[in-house]
Amino acid sequence: MTKKKKSTPKTRANSKKPAPPPFVSTGFWLMKSEPESYSIDDFARDGQTLWTGVRNYQARNFMMTSMKPGDRVLFYHSSAEPPAVVGTGEVLRPNLPDLTALDAASKYFDAKSSTDHPIWFCAEVAFRSRLQTPVTIQDIRAIKPLAKMALLAPGQRLSIQPVSEAEFNLILSMGAK
DNA sequence: GCCAACGTTGGC
DNA sequence: GCCAACGTTGGC
């Protein structure tokens, strides 16, 4: 005979680790791109772009569930000389399926994704400005109010990171001269 | 479910 | 080019 077995759901409440505080979006982001693959020049020329190719769940989740139209974005050149925030953008449409995952010819192809059940998502982001002066990672490191940025945390490799409004505005002002 | 191996990121 | 810090994978 079959018993209706009630399995104990593994909830956050009874797991060992304390639940992380729910993430609350500030509406401000930093997005990394290697200029060799997509630079601020490309972004300015295109006017808008689909931020595809993200294959990290945390970064994906930001684009799926946290980003909202109108959110502001710092455009950061990674693996560049020097690494720096070089411009800004604005989220037009978050949470779009990343079609590069379905394209067998793409380097971002993922056989686990399908049209019916896409597992990777992207955001459409519009170019908004170029900083007059790039704000380098050294510049950022030198400023006390920016010391908490994820960008500076050792081992922090997330390609999409939330930033505070104050951090966003400070970097903009640093780049304005 | 553990954990070692492996791949990736990205500043230096 | 190096390598530390992660995330992911896969054998058990």
Side-chain angles (χ1 to χ4, degrees):
Chain A
M1 106 175 157
T2 48
K3 237 195 263 179
K4 212 183 214 169
K5 180 144 180 217
K6 200 188 271 174
S7 66
T8 321
K10 199 174 183 186
T11 66
R12 285 212 168 87
N14 65 15
S15 72
K16 291 263 167 31
K17 285 177 189 157
F23 172 71
V24 179
S25 172
T26 60
F28 296 86
W29 305 93
L30 180 145
M31 299 175 84
K32 300 178 182 174
S33 184
E34 300 189 9
E36 290 202 358
S37 69
Y38 197 79
S39 71
I40 189 69
D41 291 339
D42 297 322
F43 194 27
R45 177 202 61 216
D46 294 345
Q48 64 188 59
T49 191
L50 290 172
W51 209 275
T52 55
V54 171
R55 295 294 178 269
N56 168 282
Y57 288 107
Q58 204 179 344
R60 177 204 70 171
N61 292 345
F62 284 146
M63 291 195 289
M64 278 180 76
T65 63
S66 303
M67 274 188 184
K68 296 291 175 266
D71 281 4
R72 303 294 308 278
V73 172
L74 296 171
F75 189 100
Y76 178 82
H77 276 170
S78 62
S79 292
E81 189 46 55
V85 175
V86 292
T88 72
E90 178 181 334
V91 175
L92 297 180
R93 293 185 295 160
N95 197 27
L96 304 170
D98 181 346
L99 299 181
T100 66
L102 307 177
D103 175 4
S106 168
K107 66 182 280 202
Y108 300 116
F109 176 71
D110 185 341
K112 296 192 294 298
S113 197
S114 67
T115 309
D116 287 348
H117 299 284
I119 58 176
W120 297 114
F121 290 80
C122 64
E124 185 179 53
V125 185
F127 172 83
R128 281 293 172 261
S129 71
R130 201 189 283 268
L131 298 192
Q132 283 186 258
T133 311
V135 177
T136 69
I137 194 167
Q138 302 99 302
D139 296 334
I140 292 171
R141 220 188 296 278
I143 301 290
K144 199 77 160 278
L146 299 179
K148 289 212 166 76
M149 288 186 70
L151 187 69
L152 303 181
Q156 179 53 265
R157 299 284 154 97
L158 259 189
S159 63
I160 300 176
Q161 307 178 347
V163 302
S164 74
E165 181 170 7
E167 290 162 348
F168 183 93
N169 288 329
L170 183 48
I171 288 176
L172 275 201
S173 70
M174 291 163 71
K177 47 184 180 262

